[in-house]
Amino acid sequence: MYRFFLVLVSVIVISTINFAQNNTLPEDSIDVTVIDSYVTPEIPHTFLLTFFTSADCKSKVIIDKKYEYKVSDTLTENHSAKIDITNLNFKTKSVPFVIVVEDSLGKISRSDSYEFELPGEVKIKSESNFLLLCLFGGTVFALPSPVYVSNESGNYFGLTKEIPLISFRSSNFNYPFGYFSAEYSYIFKSDDKNFFRLGYKQLINIPEIQYISPGVDWFTNFKGFNGISAELSIGWFKIFNTFTIYTRYRFNIKPNDTASKFHEISIGLYSSFFSVYF
């Protein structure tokens, strides 16, 4: 188990270094110059987008962080698209969009965020519905997750709640590259009932499912029982296009005290909606 922990830490450190190196080379990114971006007032309402790039590349546009459309399937510097947005739902008249490009070597970069204005004829979601959606999402997000705990003295059930605090952007718009989190757990009928954790989790996108996420944590029971954890989560599928159902295995141990080790298996909901992004 110690070897598993060391390998897990090494993978996270190496991946984090590569991420930092990739993000310190802005000169390798492709510049995007938007020429036209507007919506036609007549029905069907069409988003007209034209832009140039500083190098030949493929491109796509992501509208309002959720609607994705291909612009250029072949390598080119001139890009244009006509997108029917008649049946799309927006919260405000000013709609953000970003352009994602891929060069001949497969390197992906993204533009700054732009906006286009909806004509007066386009309906948007009412503010009350949006607030209701936020309230519903906040309620779902606040729900704790069930956890099964096994240690030297027996098996127990409990509740745990993890909150992503700081997330790091990636070229994949579904999930961040990784995030720092805080977590509180309550274990029923156990001698050590309360645990608080701070940790780092890395998200790796996997085809057919959502992601796998190795992580490391520091934990305490507030009474001198302090230790470290190694964990692995699997994100299976999304609900409401916001939350991801995941399962997690975690191994916990107090350094130099093998008798204190315990295992956890949990199921929960992941969302970075309330996280601060960098």
Side-chain angles (χ1 to χ4, degrees), residues 7-19 200 202:
V7 170
L8 188 59
V9 172
S10 299
V11 169
I12 293 175
V13 170
I14 292 172
S15 299
T16 303
I17 292 174
N18 289 335
F19 171 77
Y200 174 77
Q202 184 171 324

Side-chain angles (χ1 to χ4, degrees), residues 51 58-62 68-72 98-101:
F51 60 93
K58 300 177 182 179
S59 61
K60 63 182 177 180
V61 61
I62 299 177
E68 181 175 314
Y69 298 91
K70 289 184 179 180
V71 178
S72 300
V98 294
I99 295 167
V100 181
V101 297

Side-chain angles (χ1 to χ4, degrees), residues 56-223:
D56 289 338
C57 60
K58 300 177 182 179
S59 61
K60 63 182 177 180
V61 61
I62 299 177
I63 301 173
D64 204 21
K65 299 182 180 181
K66 57 183 176 180
Y67 302 114
E68 181 175 314
Y69 298 91
K70 289 184 179 180
V71 178
S72 300
D73 285 328
T74 58
L75 298 174
T76 181
E77 293 182 353
N78 303 318
H79 309 259
S80 62
K82 296 180 179 180
I83 301 170
D84 184 356
I85 65 168
T86 305
N87 296 319
L88 304 186
N89 294 315
F90 302 109
K91 303 180 184 70
T92 63
K93 289 289 186 180
S94 297
V95 180
F97 70 93
V98 294
I99 295 167
V100 181
V101 297
E102 180 181 351
D103 65 17
S104 59
L105 299 177
K107 179 178 175 57
I108 296 174
S109 57
R110 53 175 280 172
S111 70
D112 295 331
S113 180
Y114 300 97
E115 288 185 351
F116 62 81
E117 294 292 325
L118 296 175
E121 297 82 359
V122 179
K123 294 182 179 180
I124 62 175
K125 291 182 178 181
S126 67
E127 183 178 357
S128 60
N129 287 341
F130 176 66
L131 292 176
L132 182 62
L133 180 62
C134 288
L135 180 62
F136 174 74
T139 302
V140 173
F141 180 75
L143 291 175
S145 304
V147 58
Y148 170 79
V149 178
S150 177
N151 59 25
E152 296 292 332
S153 60
N155 302 317
Y156 307 92
F157 288 95
L159 296 174
T160 188
K161 183 59 193 176
E162 177 189 80
I163 299 178
L165 300 176
I166 300 174
S167 298
F168 301 97
R169 299 184 187 277
S170 71
S171 58
N172 185 303
F173 286 85
N174 294 320
Y175 297 100
F177 172 82
Y179 64 93
F180 287 101
S181 66
E183 182 176 351
Y184 171 74
S185 303
Y186 183 84
I187 312 302
F188 300 106
K189 299 182 180 180
S190 174
D191 293 336
D192 296 308
K193 292 182 170 61
N194 300 284
F195 286 94
F196 175 75
R197 288 183 172 86
L198 293 174
Y200 174 77
K201 321 298 168 67
Q202 184 171 324
L203 299 180
I204 304 170
N205 291 285
I206 299 295
E208 307 302 331
I209 58 175
Q210 296 297 313
Y211 62 79
I212 61 172
S213 176
V216 292
D217 305 272
W218 167 84
F219 69 84
T220 180
N221 72 342
F222 306 103
K223 297 179 180 178

